[in-house]
Amino acid sequence: MSHHHPIDEKGAISHVHGNGNGHLGTAQFTNANGSRASLDSHRYVANTEDSKMPDTMPNHSHEAAEAIARLTPEEYAAMEKRLLRKLDFKLIPWMTLLYLLSFIDRVNVGAAKLVGLTTELHLSSLQYSNASMIFFVSYVAFEVPSNLVLKKLRPSRWIPFTMICWAIFQTCMGLVTTYGQLLALRFCLGLFESGLFPGLNFYLTGWYKRDEINRRCAFFFGGAVLAGAFGGIFGYALSKMNGVGGKQGWAWIFIIEGLITLVAGVLSFWMIHDWPDTAKFLTPLEREMVLVRLKQEQGLASEGKFTWRVIKKALVDWKTYCFMLMYIGAAEPLYSLFTPTIIAYLGKFSIEQSLLLSTPPYVLMFITTMGTAFLSDKFHRRGFFLMGWSLVGAIGYLMLLTIPIRYPGALYFAVFVASAAVGPLIATTIAWTGNTFGNHYKKAVAMGLVFSAGNSGGIVSSQAYRDKDKPRFLPGHGTALAFCLLNCTMATIMYFGVRRENKRRDEMYGPPPRPDEVQEFEDPEYQRKWGLQGMTRAEIVELGDDHPAFRYIL
């Protein structure tokens, strides 16, 4: 079913009412029958081919674009600022909460270990490592399929569905009595959690421009990590329910946290919005403006339909594999920061003290993540920040490797250095990946693959940090050091690779179109300028980031 634009070809906008303070009023136009009508009506403004989503970016009618174009620069800037504030308020807090819950549900097995899980289930060191690792096996395997399903279905249905499923498995973990049951439930937990983090990052690229995305990704990642730092303390508090209902304290950690996720999953049916063209919290003109902003900035990149050719493009693009290695280079050190465990062996700290001492490094990680994201968006740069922070992370792990155990204060400082670097690496790599791929389906596949690779880091780190290596954990720290250097190497290759391609396109075709330039894809002049003669609109759309007008963020 199509949502037809309220202004058809016969209608014409006569003028736009804007008041002096930058508030946009309604656009008035004349219908074909001569009657007056308002653009700011209950009808959808976006002209989509699929009622569920903007498939992927509508072909805007000139009239609606003209309504926005008639605003003075001051009015446009004021409306844009209000619109961004509205999007941030409606989208980001709930995303942060969901990722926080997934983060806590993923790592609470560590808190459960500290309060008796391994003793009760008679787990060996290897069995605990396997239970920790099996989560990532299913998590990695199902990230790409989940992103494609999210693209095909409505986010407001798919994301809550996966949350409710993983909440049930999480709650059931409080009822396990054997190692096999724990393994099976951890596998199922990873299966359904796999869709959330890549899905949310991909979802945000359908709302924000490329130079706005890093701050948003960083906020919900950083906010969740910050809160996750307190998750250990929360888990320890729940363990004090030991004996209630005949259950051990570790069981209550799983049960209570699973039930909290279940409630959030049910509420998500109402709290998650689909795509901009159907968002009920936006006025029709605001919906149009979100889409116009994306189209101005990303052009053809944001359109496109599902074809296996586009999927193949993602699979044969060298940048996909470069980002995969870059992201595992950032994620493995993050998963290596088992800070309560590491800190517990720095001195004679109790469980409570270890959990409390693990919180300040996470707070620093949040500060560096947000600061880097702000500067990275402001200067439209990704590569240099990754190169710099990966070297800082390498220095932190080098300190953990070389400082003798008799200096616990210096080792604790090294944990701060490593933590400060790892947060910005994750958020900036994600933002750069989302910025680089044009066609929406190509982006969905590439981001899914990148997250799959990165989360394989969880498998590596759960095997690299072994109980038999305590108190120094030298193999684990050495592995994390190597992965930091891998991130630095890949960021350097990507930076010079896309810089060269941008330069080649500038020399061959001239500068890219200005953001306010109207691009007529069927116009022979347009096709001649970009060397696209004889191509259909669908073929031009499919080019995505291979379109000569597309420029990569460095």
Side-chain angles (χ1 to χ4, degrees):
M1 186 187 93
S2 295
H3 299 309
H4 292 296
H5 202 291
I7 310 170
D8 63 20
E9 293 76 24
K10 298 173 187 171
I13 289 184
S14 53
H15 58 283
V16 178
H17 294 299
N19 59 26
N21 60 13
H23 175 71
L24 182 69
T26 59
Q28 298 292 328
F29 63 92
T30 308
N31 280 333
N33 60 13
S35 62
R36 307 288 287 175
S38 166
L39 177 59
D40 202 357
S41 68
H42 67 283
R43 302 281 299 280
Y44 290 130
V45 173
N47 172 23
T48 61
E49 296 174 14
D50 180 344
S51 61
K52 290 181 184 172
M53 57 189 311
D55 196 55
T56 289
M57 219 39 69
N59 178 21
H60 302 293
S61 64
H62 296 294
E63 293 89 345
E66 193 179 327
I68 291 169
R70 285 172 186 249
L71 296 170
T72 65
E74 294 76 21
E75 287 173 337
Y76 184 89
M79 183 184 177
E80 191 172 34
K81 192 174 177 184
R82 270 201 318 280
L83 179 66
L84 273 175
R85 212 164 36 229
K86 199 170 185 179
L87 294 182
D88 288 344
F89 181 73
K90 284 286 186 180
L91 302 177
I92 304 300
W94 195 253
M95 305 273 140
T96 305
L97 174 68
L98 299 190
Y99 183 56
L100 158 66
L101 293 172
S102 84
F103 196 83
I104 288 177
D105 289 348
R106 182 184 319 175
V107 301
N108 58 14
V109 70
K113 178 193 178 187
L114 286 175
V115 293
L117 168 71
T118 46
T119 316
E120 169 106 357
L121 297 185
H122 309 294
L123 301 183
S124 68
S125 171
L126 176 64
Q127 286 176 322
Y128 172 76
S129 282
N130 290 341
S132 186
M133 178 191 75
I134 193 87
F135 168 90
F136 292 101
V137 174
S138 54
Y139 194 94
V140 164
F142 288 95
E143 283 182 294
V144 174
S146 179
N147 246 10
L148 285 171
V149 172
L150 174 76
K151 181 75 185 85
K152 235 12 207 172
L153 300 182
R154 295 167 61 182
S156 64
R157 295 292 173 267
W158 179 243
I159 291 174
F161 167 73
T162 59
M163 286 193 73
I164 289 168
C165 291
W166 103 57
I168 292 167
F169 291 119
Q170 173 70 27
T171 308
C172 290
M173 277 168 62
L175 311 175
V176 298
T177 54
T178 66
Y179 167 60
Q181 292 169 353
L182 180 67
L183 270 188
L185 288 171
R186 285 281 293 174
F187 180 87
C188 293
L189 185 71
L191 171 66
F192 285 101
E193 269 204 45
S194 66
L196 188 78
F197 192 46
L200 292 183
N201 281 285
F202 171 61
Y203 172 74
L204 290 180
T205 63
W207 291 83
Y208 293 99
K209 288 163 65 174
R210 291 196 295 168
D211 60 349
E212 296 162 350
I213 203 81
N214 197 357
R215 272 167 289 180
R216 275 78 190 179
C217 290
F219 186 83
F220 83 74
F221 166 73
V225 168
L226 178 62
F230 298 96
I233 300 168
F234 179 53
Y236 186 76
L238 290 177
S239 73
K240 294 297 185 188
M241 293 175 68
N242 196 14
V244 176
K247 290 265 164 239
Q248 296 278 336
W250 62 263
W252 282 114
I253 293 175
F254 294 137
I255 292 168
I256 299 295
E257 291 180 356
L259 291 174
I260 292 170
T261 302
L262 183 65
V263 172
V266 172
L267 289 175
S268 292
F269 281 114
W270 292 273
M271 297 298 292
I272 292 178
H273 307 277
D274 287 325
W275 300 100
D277 68 321
T278 57
K280 291 191 171 62
F281 70 91
L282 297 176
T283 67
L285 216 49
E286 285 172 333
R287 286 182 211 141
E288 190 70 20
M289 186 160 187
V290 173
L291 298 168
V292 164
R293 290 172 81 247
L294 291 177
K295 196 162 182 91
Q296 281 175 343
E297 197 235 16
Q298 300 177 6
L300 289 173
S302 301
E303 294 195 29
K305 291 185 172 58
F306 178 86
T307 67
W308 289 107
R309 278 196 312 279
V310 172
I311 306 306
K312 185 185 172 191
K313 272 188 167 184
L315 294 174
V316 300
D317 192 328
W318 69 272
K319 296 186 288 297
T320 303
Y321 300 98
C322 193
F323 278 121
M324 286 167 72
L325 290 170
M326 199 186 304
Y327 191 61
I328 194 174
E332 198 281 340
L334 175 74
Y335 291 123
S336 297
L337 283 171
F338 295 121
T339 39
T341 310
I342 294 168
I343 290 164
Y345 293 109
L346 295 185
K348 301 298 179 198
F349 298 123
S350 66
I351 293 170
E352 298 97 308
Q353 287 171 324
S354 296
L355 287 168
L356 285 168
L357 285 170
S358 71
T359 302
Y362 280 114
V363 174
L364 178 63
M365 187 194 291
F366 176 74
I367 293 167
T368 56
T369 300
M370 291 308 300
T372 303
F374 179 80
L375 293 171
S376 171
D377 278 354
K378 182 179 179 182
F379 295 112
H380 289 235
R381 285 287 181 272
R382 307 282 189 242
F384 289 128
F385 288 100
L386 287 172
M387 295 174 214
W389 278 121
S390 53
L391 291 175
V392 172
I395 290 167
Y397 283 106
L398 188 63
M399 291 166 70
L400 285 166
L401 279 170
T402 53
I403 295 171
I405 195 74
R406 63 179 178 275
Y407 300 116
L411 285 166
Y412 185 49
F413 174 73
V415 171
F416 273 90
V417 175
S419 302
V422 169
L425 289 184
I426 294 272
T428 309
T429 302
I430 292 167
W432 205 7
T433 307
N435 292 163
T436 298
F437 296 100
N439 182 289
H440 236 54
Y441 280 103
K442 183 180 178 184
K443 185 187 295 183
V445 174
M447 289 187 85
L449 286 167
V450 167
F451 282 111
S452 294
N455 290 307
S456 307
I459 299 174
V460 176
S461 61
S462 62
Q463 298 300 309
Y465 282 84
R466 301 168 301 187
D467 260 14
K468 67 179 184 185
D469 297 320
K470 62 192 182 192
R472 294 301 307 275
F473 298 106
L474 295 181
H477 295 330
T479 306
L481 167 64
F483 275 96
C484 283
L485 295 176
L486 175 66
N487 180 278
C488 183
T489 306
M490 291 300 122
T492 307
I493 291 170
M494 179 63 69
Y495 173 80
F496 286 107
V498 295
R499 191 178 79 161
R500 190 179 67 185
E501 179 58 21
N502 281 354
K503 190 177 176 189
R504 185 189 73 79
R505 291 181 188 182
D506 281 344
E507 287 170 355
M508 189 173 283
Y509 301 102
R514 298 188 316 278
D516 58 348
E517 238 175 87
V518 177
Q519 300 179 37
E520 281 301 328
F521 312 130
E522 289 90 355
D523 178 13
E525 178 61 29
Y526 171 86
Q527 293 192 353
R528 189 189 58 73
K529 179 183 177 187
W530 299 109
L532 307 171
Q533 295 97 323
M535 292 181 74
T536 64
R537 179 188 175 83
E539 288 170 337
I540 295 174
V541 164
E542 204 176 283
L543 285 172
D545 52 286
D546 293 327
H547 192 291
F550 188 93
R551 294 294 180 275
Y552 297 102
I553 286 185
L554 299 181

